[in-house]
Amino acid sequence: MTGTAPFTADDYRARMDRAARQAAGAGLAGLLVAPGPDLVWLTGYTPTAVTERLTLLVLAAGREPVLVVPTLEAPDAEHAPGAPAITLRDWTDGKDPYAVTAALLDADGRFGVSDNAWAMHLLGLQRALPGTSYASLTEALPMLRAVKDAAELDLLAAAGAAADAAFEEIRKVPFAGRRETDVAADLAALLRRFGHSQVDFTIVASGPNGANPHHEIGDRVIERGDMVVLDFGGLKDGYGSDTSRTVHVGEPTDEERRVHDLVREAQEAGFRAVRPGAACQDVDRAARAVIADAGYGEYFIHRTGHGIGVTTHEPPYMIEGEKQPLVPGMCFSVEPGVYLPGRFGVRIEDIVTVTEDGGRRLNNTAREMVTVD
């Protein structure tokens, strides 16, 4: 199975070349990329099934990319969008795939390895080449996929617009008297209706459940008077969406409206902190200061944001201590929240991309209090 994004072999060749050069700049002998989001981004290739058989992309500066692949999966690999830029090295059952791979590696090199590589495969390589050492890609090259090109930005914008369309529809359905799971099923169906091929999460956290940022939907029946946190997203044409809005069933109390307005102000402050050269932590600081100054600092219990691309969570992260400067083309969430245990929670989230002179939201539904039936 190949990716659906409209990228050419030249696009994938450029990505692999850039990745290899960044690896060399980080003091690595190369990169070893297993099936998963890094392999999709670099080659457009997704194996039909990820099994114990080794599939591994080997990248090194000044060398042609090589994809080690089981012989029975080679025909699919040959049809991947990036295949023209890759040399395939297949191996048959009964042969040692680690010996095949070892022949491509420096015997005493340090390599970046995609985070989702299987331990059995990494250990197999270590047995074949005991002089090698390894670092996770998130540790070694955290910004590898962080800066999006124009085509990627278009795909992320389309995914955001689809999620927005889903929100505009979900606010029309009945909430009161229905279970969280019922509304979550509606949300998932709407995401698919508006073009998502994969739904990663549909959080519907009503009443006191809203105080848990990653509440697992359950059979709680939503009641009039509930605040309901909606957080949903997935993949459309290979790129992610992720948005949160907090609605109220019927008219809110003054306190509920005040907390919602506070989170909206914090989200706006975080967005306005987005500009080239600012540190990731500046976005977190700006949003967090609004909430802390209002006396709710202890109830904002997570980072302000995370990157998004071919996965819905990836670097960079908007959190204190992250000094990575923002660069045009980066995309990430800005999603402050306030969570009052046993009572209710509020979160407002947009995906934002860094522009040449600031930021641009990829989600554009109402951030003001929305009431539902």
Side-chain angles (χ1 to χ4, degrees), residues 17-263:
D17 180 64
R18 175 155 58 94
R21 285 186 282 105
Q22 287 185 13
L28 299 172
L31 301 180
L32 307 177
V33 184
D38 291 314
L39 187 64
V40 171
W41 185 76
L42 287 163
T43 69
Y45 176 54
T46 301
T48 52
V50 179
T51 70
E52 74 284 353
R53 292 185 174 97
L54 178 71
T55 295
L56 201 66
L57 175 70
V58 179
L59 298 178
R63 301 182 189 178
E64 287 295 310
V66 177
L67 181 64
V68 177
V69 62
T71 300
L72 77 169
E73 295 175 11
D76 284 343
E78 289 170 352
H79 288 96
I86 301 167
T87 298
L88 291 183
R89 190 72 56 86
D90 65 315
W91 61 275
T92 57
D93 286 350
K95 297 294 179 65
D96 182 356
Y98 306 114
V100 173
T101 308
L104 305 171
L105 307 181
D106 294 340
D108 57 355
R110 181 170 178 77
F111 295 89
V113 182
S114 52
D115 295 359
N116 54 332
W118 285 23
M120 65 176 286
H121 294 152
L122 190 58
L123 292 168
L125 285 175
Q126 287 180 316
R127 285 193 299 271
L129 292 173
T132 54
S133 60
Y134 304 89
S136 74
L137 279 190
T138 293
E139 172 191 331
L141 296 177
M143 296 298 112
L144 178 63
R145 305 196 316 255
V147 179
K148 276 63 180 180
D149 62 25
E152 291 182 292
L153 291 175
D154 286 346
L155 289 164
L156 283 161
D164 284 357
F167 176 72
E168 294 294 355
E169 292 299 314
I170 201 67
R171 59 187 289 186
K172 300 174 185 177
V173 310
F175 277 66
R178 302 176 70 214
R179 297 172 301 173
E180 291 175 343
T181 51
D182 297 329
V183 177
D186 289 344
L187 261 177
L190 286 167
L191 285 170
R192 292 191 177 96
R193 185 206 298 181
F194 291 112
H196 282 65
S197 60
Q198 178 177 313
V199 176
D200 285 350
F201 47 89
T202 51
I203 294 173
V204 178
S206 62
N209 290 339
N212 176 1
H214 281 176
H215 168 65
E216 290 286 339
I217 55 171
D219 289 332
R220 183 183 186 277
V221 175
I222 301 170
E223 303 173 357
R224 291 196 66 81
D226 279 348
M227 195 85 89
V228 184
V229 179
L230 304 173
D231 184 352
F232 50 98
L235 298 182
K236 179 182 186 295
D237 295 329
Y239 279 75
S241 69
D242 184 3
T243 188
S244 300
R245 293 292 185 264
T246 303
V247 301
H248 197 275
V249 186
E251 285 302 310
T253 65
D254 289 344
E255 181 192 20
E256 288 169 332
R257 191 175 292 279
R258 184 171 65 252
V259 172
H260 190 280
D261 286 347
L262 173 64
V263 174

Side-chain angles (χ1 to χ4, degrees), residues 272-293:
R272 292 195 178 282
V274 175
R275 63 185 183 279
C280 290
Q281 67 180 4
D282 293 340
V283 179
D284 183 81
R285 287 174 174 177
R288 198 168 299 277
V290 173
I291 293 173
D293 289 349

Side-chain angles (χ1 to χ4, degrees), residues 326-350:
L326 300 181
V327 175
M330 283 183 175
C331 290
F332 47 83
S333 65
V334 179
E335 51 176 308
V338 168
Y339 308 93
L340 303 178
R343 302 184 61 207
F344 64 89
V346 177
R347 181 165 64 258
I348 300 172
E349 174 186 12
D350 295 326

